[in-house]
Amino acid sequence: MNRLLPILALATAVIVASGVPLDAQNFPTSGWSTDFSRHSVPFEEIVSGGVPKDGIPALTNPSFVTIREADRWIDDREPVALIRVGEFVKIYPLQILIWHEIVNDQIGDLPVSVTFCPLCNTTIAFDRRHEGRTLEFGVTGNLRHSDMVMYDRQTETWWQQATGEGIVGELTGTTLTQVPAPVVSWAQARVDAPDGVVLSRETGYDREYGRNPYRGYDTQDGPYPGFFSKRPDPRLDVMERVVAMGGEDDPVAVPFSALRERRFIELEVNGEDVVVFWSPGTRSALDNRNMDKSRDVGSGVAFRPEAGGRSLTFELHQGGIRDRETGTSWDSMGRAATGPLVGERLEPIEHANHFWFAWAVFRPDTRIVRQ
């Protein structure tokens, strides 16, 4: 049985989400300019999350602080999303994302939306350029299979956060391009990107940044049933964290439980070689009320195993990971630490750390890779 119900917390009130199905009779068309005649999913699969349109306020053109400034209020093991675009690096603490769910931003020349759905543990960044225009995203207040439904402010199309697919409105059937946004610990990010900048707590909103409004959610037996009515895929524990990748063409999930034992796993996804590195030291965003006291769940990051103009394979060596081809040692962020390839970096691929139920419901033909 579920011991704690997830809640959607606003600045001055806690609203328990209603989970009311939105069918053709009660669909909330008022206040929307969405073309509801176009949709790729049944309306009854979309449920109210208990908050109105923009009731969870997305951030747009946010401010940033230096690594040194952010180090005053982020614990070493707190989870953050790190996005690298060329020479530019921005870091997004989940202690802020959990209250806003979407940040519309720009990294270098790339307009991005960094998104986080707490109920699915999905941190995913998208390229906001789509079909010749730049979109800006907000939170509809609705969910599908427990996952956030976003909308763009240009066409008011509704988008599935977990897949980046337009599901209701003008852009139904199209898909956003994902940008790699690995979730790692603050300590890892701080060392990996000392010249990066960090999303500021000065957002213009009064929120308890550092507090988790979904306390205990990831230690439940499963997602809140008012938001999730499907039968979970029994191949893994419902709330198992997985490194998910491959999209609809070759969906793959690598369980954290397997990574914890092996430290890295090599596999093939969409016909290309991939390596996933795992490391301890990253706290859950969804455990303790105080995020800096949450349990350690680790982090998994997927890379293209190529550097120095060659393909690489890996092995454990003296407690770390090195490649067989050159003997270079690699850290969990895909950076060459010692050896002939020092200065090289593995390129992260599109992936995210989902709860198993949340990935499997959208990608039921997923391959599970444990070794």
Side-chain angles (χ1 to χ4, degrees):
M1 297 292 293
N2 293 41
R3 296 186 293 104
L4 296 168
L5 302 184
I7 57 175
L8 300 174
L10 301 179
T12 58
V14 174
I15 301 176
V16 178
S18 60
V20 176
L22 304 178
D23 58 26
Q25 283 69 48
N26 66 7
F27 215 73
T29 57
S30 178
W32 289 98
S33 60
T34 306
D35 180 358
F36 289 104
S37 69
R38 302 185 63 180
H39 58 98
S40 60
V41 302
F43 284 150
E44 58 266 24
E45 289 186 352
I46 302 173
V47 302
S48 169
V51 293
K53 177 185 182 182
D54 295 321
I56 298 174
L59 300 179
T60 299
N61 298 321
S63 60
F64 288 79
V65 297
T66 64
I67 294 284
R68 184 175 180 179
E69 290 173 294
D71 206 29
R72 299 170 185 164
W73 46 268
I74 309 180
D75 178 78
D76 277 358
R77 297 191 176 194
E78 274 191 51
V80 300
L82 185 151
I83 304 179
R84 187 182 299 274
V85 178
E87 62 184 291
F88 300 97
V89 181
K90 287 190 173 182
I91 299 168
Y92 301 82
L94 266 61
Q95 63 160 269
I96 300 175
L97 280 174
I98 201 169
W99 292 94
H100 296 283
E101 302 194 359
I102 296 174
V103 178
N104 296 294
D105 197 15
Q106 181 145 335
I107 305 176
D109 293 329
L110 181 67
V112 299
S113 277
V114 185
T115 71
F116 176 56
C117 177
L119 300 184
C120 294
N121 193 52
T122 46
T123 303
I124 304 173
F126 298 103
D127 184 338
R128 293 195 286 122
R129 298 171 301 183
H130 185 71
E131 296 189 345
R133 53 188 152 189
T134 299
L135 304 178
E136 182 181 301
F137 293 91
V139 180
T140 65
N142 300 316
L143 303 163
R144 177 170 171 257
H145 304 325
S146 231
D147 181 60
M148 171 174 52
V149 177
M150 316 183 298
Y151 78 96
D152 72 76
R153 295 194 170 113
Q154 284 64 41
T155 72
E156 298 215 336
T157 295
W158 292 15
W159 301 84
Q160 190 75 62
Q161 184 256 2
T163 63
E165 297 171 341
I167 58 173
V168 180
E170 177 185 327
L171 299 178
T172 293
T174 65
T175 304
L176 301 170
T177 299
Q178 189 174 330
V179 177
V183 173
V184 297
S185 71
W186 169 240
Q188 288 173 293
R190 187 180 58 210
V191 171
D192 190 67
D195 296 324
V197 293
V198 185
L199 180 65
S200 172
R201 280 178 158 184
E202 299 299 319
T203 63
Y205 294 92
D206 182 14
R207 296 293 187 270
E208 292 185 281
Y209 298 125
R211 295 294 183 95
N212 162 31
Y214 302 83
R215 181 175 57 182
Y217 177 61
D218 68 351
T219 57
Q220 295 185 140
D221 294 335
Y224 180 46
F227 296 145
F228 192 85
S229 58
K230 294 284 188 178
R231 180 178 179 272
D233 188 314
R235 289 180 291 164
L236 291 172
D237 289 343
V238 176
M239 305 297 276
E240 166 89 69
R241 283 173 165 81
V242 298
V243 179
M245 65 199 103
E248 62 181 347
D249 295 327
D250 185 18
V252 177
V254 181
F256 269 37
S257 56
L259 285 165
R260 191 175 295 113
E261 292 179 7
R262 300 179 62 85
R263 292 289 304 280
F264 74 92
I265 289 179
E266 296 169 306
L267 65 154
E268 187 177 285
V269 181
N270 285 318
E272 296 186 358
D273 290 332
V274 172
V275 63
V276 182
F277 289 169
W278 183 87
S279 62
T282 302
R283 298 187 189 277
S284 166
L286 301 164
D287 176 35
N288 196 284
R289 174 171 168 77
N290 297 312
M291 202 174 291
D292 62 0
K293 292 180 173 59
S294 288
R295 64 196 178 95
D296 185 343
V297 295
S299 61
V301 184
F303 300 98
R304 186 169 288 108
E306 299 173 0
R310 64 193 305 171
S311 297
L312 303 174
T313 59
F314 298 89
E315 63 185 1
L316 294 177
H317 177 71
Q318 297 181 350
I321 298 172
R322 72 176 183 183
D323 69 70
R324 295 186 179 93
E325 287 70 26
T326 73
T328 298
S329 296
W330 299 83
D331 68 18
S332 58
M333 296 296 293
R335 187 178 53 176
T338 62
L341 295 180
V342 165
E344 296 282 348
R345 182 184 293 275
L346 303 180
E347 179 186 357
I349 67 164
E350 297 174 10
H351 69 284
N353 295 168
H354 295 251
F355 288 135
W356 167 242
F357 82 85
W359 176 255
V361 72
F362 294 108
R363 303 292 185 231
D365 52 344
T366 290
R367 291 187 292 122
I368 299 173
V369 177
R370 294 184 172 89
Q371 60 182 14

mmCIF file of all heavy atoms in Angstrom, residues 12 37 62 71 80 116 122 165 169 202 215 222 293 327 331 371:
data_model
loop_
_atom_site.group_PDB
_atom_site.id
_atom_site.type_symbol
_atom_site.label_atom_id
_atom_site.label_comp_id
_atom_site.label_asym_id
_atom_site.label_seq_id
_atom_site.Cartn_x
_atom_site.Cartn_y
_atom_site.Cartn_z
ATOM 1 N N THR A 12 1.739 29.083 -0.395
ATOM 2 C CA THR A 12 1.032 29.258 0.872
ATOM 3 C C THR A 12 0.039 28.160 1.169
ATOM 4 O O THR A 12 -0.654 28.243 2.179
ATOM 5 C CB THR A 12 0.281 30.603 0.860
ATOM 6 O OG1 THR A 12 -0.627 30.619 -0.234
ATOM 7 C CG2 THR A 12 1.255 31.764 0.722
ATOM 8 N N SER A 37 -9.369 19.629 -31.259
ATOM 9 C CA SER A 37 -9.833 18.654 -32.256
ATOM 10 C C SER A 37 -8.697 17.734 -32.696
ATOM 11 O O SER A 37 -8.941 16.681 -33.293
ATOM 12 C CB SER A 37 -10.406 19.377 -33.479
ATOM 13 O OG SER A 37 -9.386 20.048 -34.212
ATOM 14 N N PRO A 62 15.915 33.028 -16.407
ATOM 15 C CA PRO A 62 16.284 33.097 -14.994
ATOM 16 C C PRO A 62 17.672 33.691 -14.784
ATOM 17 O O PRO A 62 18.461 33.830 -15.723
ATOM 18 C CB PRO A 62 16.271 31.627 -14.571
ATOM 19 C CG PRO A 62 16.668 30.894 -15.815
ATOM 20 C CD PRO A 62 16.017 31.659 -16.937
ATOM 21 N N ASP A 71 27.743 27.303 -3.735
ATOM 22 C CA ASP A 71 28.290 26.347 -2.777
ATOM 23 C C ASP A 71 27.855 26.656 -1.348
ATOM 24 O O ASP A 71 27.914 25.795 -0.467
ATOM 25 C CB ASP A 71 29.818 26.351 -2.869
ATOM 26 C CG ASP A 71 30.437 25.037 -2.422
ATOM 27 O OD1 ASP A 71 29.781 23.986 -2.571
ATOM 28 O OD2 ASP A 71 31.570 25.059 -1.920
ATOM 29 N N VAL A 80 21.780 17.675 -9.096
ATOM 30 C CA VAL A 80 21.708 18.813 -10.011
ATOM 31 C C VAL A 80 21.750 18.283 -11.438
ATOM 32 O O VAL A 80 22.293 17.208 -11.692
ATOM 33 C CB VAL A 80 22.865 19.812 -9.790
ATOM 34 C CG1 VAL A 80 22.856 20.369 -8.372
ATOM 35 C CG2 VAL A 80 24.224 19.176 -10.108
ATOM 36 N N PHE A 116 11.544 18.941 -15.085
ATOM 37 C CA PHE A 116 11.624 17.911 -14.047
ATOM 38 C C PHE A 116 10.221 17.554 -13.612
ATOM 39 O O PHE A 116 9.460 18.413 -13.172
ATOM 40 C CB PHE A 116 12.431 18.401 -12.845
ATOM 41 C CG PHE A 116 12.475 17.423 -11.693
ATOM 42 C CD1 PHE A 116 12.926 16.119 -11.885
ATOM 43 C CD2 PHE A 116 12.068 17.801 -10.431
ATOM 44 C CE1 PHE A 116 12.971 15.219 -10.820
ATOM 45 C CE2 PHE A 116 12.115 16.913 -9.353
ATOM 46 C CZ PHE A 116 12.566 15.615 -9.554
ATOM 47 N N THR A 122 11.845 12.332 -13.665
ATOM 48 C CA THR A 122 12.390 12.533 -15.004
ATOM 49 C C THR A 122 12.904 13.957 -15.157
ATOM 50 O O THR A 122 12.122 14.906 -15.178
ATOM 51 C CB THR A 122 11.331 12.253 -16.087
ATOM 52 O OG1 THR A 122 10.100 12.911 -15.719
ATOM 53 C CG2 THR A 122 11.068 10.779 -16.221
ATOM 54 N N GLU A 165 6.718 14.445 -26.856
ATOM 55 C CA GLU A 165 5.764 14.328 -27.967
ATOM 56 C C GLU A 165 4.579 15.272 -27.763
ATOM 57 O O GLU A 165 4.015 15.360 -26.661
ATOM 58 C CB GLU A 165 5.257 12.895 -28.086
ATOM 59 C CG GLU A 165 6.342 11.892 -28.418
ATOM 60 C CD GLU A 165 5.862 10.450 -28.316
ATOM 61 O OE1 GLU A 165 4.840 10.203 -27.663
ATOM 62 O OE2 GLU A 165 6.537 9.579 -28.893
ATOM 63 N N GLY A 169 -3.377 19.327 -29.689
ATOM 64 C CA GLY A 169 -3.209 20.656 -30.255
ATOM 65 C C GLY A 169 -2.536 20.664 -31.609
ATOM 66 O O GLY A 169 -2.299 19.625 -32.234
ATOM 67 N N GLU A 202 17.146 33.242 -6.531
ATOM 68 C CA GLU A 202 16.417 34.506 -6.712
ATOM 69 C C GLU A 202 15.554 34.390 -7.967
ATOM 70 O O GLU A 202 15.921 34.825 -9.051
ATOM 71 C CB GLU A 202 17.402 35.672 -6.832
ATOM 72 C CG GLU A 202 18.287 35.872 -5.619
ATOM 73 C CD GLU A 202 17.468 36.181 -4.368
ATOM 74 O OE1 GLU A 202 16.487 36.958 -4.470
ATOM 75 O OE2 GLU A 202 17.807 35.660 -3.287
ATOM 76 N N ARG A 215 7.822 14.461 0.163
ATOM 77 C CA ARG A 215 8.571 13.672 1.141
ATOM 78 C C ARG A 215 8.150 12.198 1.139
ATOM 79 O O ARG A 215 6.983 11.863 1.240
ATOM 80 C CB ARG A 215 8.361 14.253 2.539
ATOM 81 C CG ARG A 215 9.109 13.529 3.632
ATOM 82 C CD ARG A 215 8.953 14.230 4.958
ATOM 83 N NE ARG A 215 7.548 14.386 5.344
ATOM 84 C CZ ARG A 215 7.157 15.000 6.459
ATOM 85 N NH1 ARG A 215 8.058 15.541 7.252
ATOM 86 N NH2 ARG A 215 5.880 15.083 6.738
ATOM 87 N N GLY A 222 4.690 2.256 -5.043
ATOM 88 C CA GLY A 222 4.394 2.603 -6.425
ATOM 89 C C GLY A 222 3.843 4.006 -6.505
ATOM 90 O O GLY A 222 3.681 4.680 -5.482
ATOM 91 N N LYS A 293 19.365 15.983 3.327
ATOM 92 C CA LYS A 293 19.428 14.847 4.242
ATOM 93 C C LYS A 293 18.825 13.580 3.633
ATOM 94 O O LYS A 293 18.649 12.571 4.310
ATOM 95 C CB LYS A 293 18.713 15.185 5.553
ATOM 96 C CG LYS A 293 19.423 16.263 6.373
ATOM 97 C CD LYS A 293 18.683 16.549 7.661
ATOM 98 C CE LYS A 293 19.491 17.498 8.556
ATOM 99 N NZ LYS A 293 19.782 18.771 7.913
ATOM 100 N N GLY A 327 44.730 2.631 -21.519
ATOM 101 C CA GLY A 327 45.027 2.611 -20.091
ATOM 102 C C GLY A 327 44.669 3.900 -19.379
ATOM 103 O O GLY A 327 45.031 4.111 -18.207
ATOM 104 N N ASP A 331 36.756 9.353 -14.955
ATOM 105 C CA ASP A 331 35.877 9.571 -13.820
ATOM 106 C C ASP A 331 34.426 9.374 -14.246
ATOM 107 O O ASP A 331 34.129 9.147 -15.429
ATOM 108 C CB ASP A 331 36.109 10.936 -13.162
ATOM 109 C CG ASP A 331 35.698 12.121 -14.037
ATOM 110 O OD1 ASP A 331 34.935 11.941 -15.004
ATOM 111 O OD2 ASP A 331 36.147 13.246 -13.734
ATOM 112 N N GLN A 371 23.910 -6.289 -17.820
ATOM 113 C CA GLN A 371 25.356 -6.571 -17.871
ATOM 114 C C GLN A 371 25.881 -6.390 -19.301
ATOM 115 O O GLN A 371 25.119 -6.229 -20.222
ATOM 116 C CB GLN A 371 25.637 -7.990 -17.393
ATOM 117 C CG GLN A 371 24.958 -9.065 -18.214
ATOM 118 C CD GLN A 371 25.231 -10.442 -17.678
ATOM 119 O OE1 GLN A 371 25.717 -10.615 -16.556
ATOM 120 N NE2 GLN A 371 24.933 -11.468 -18.460
#
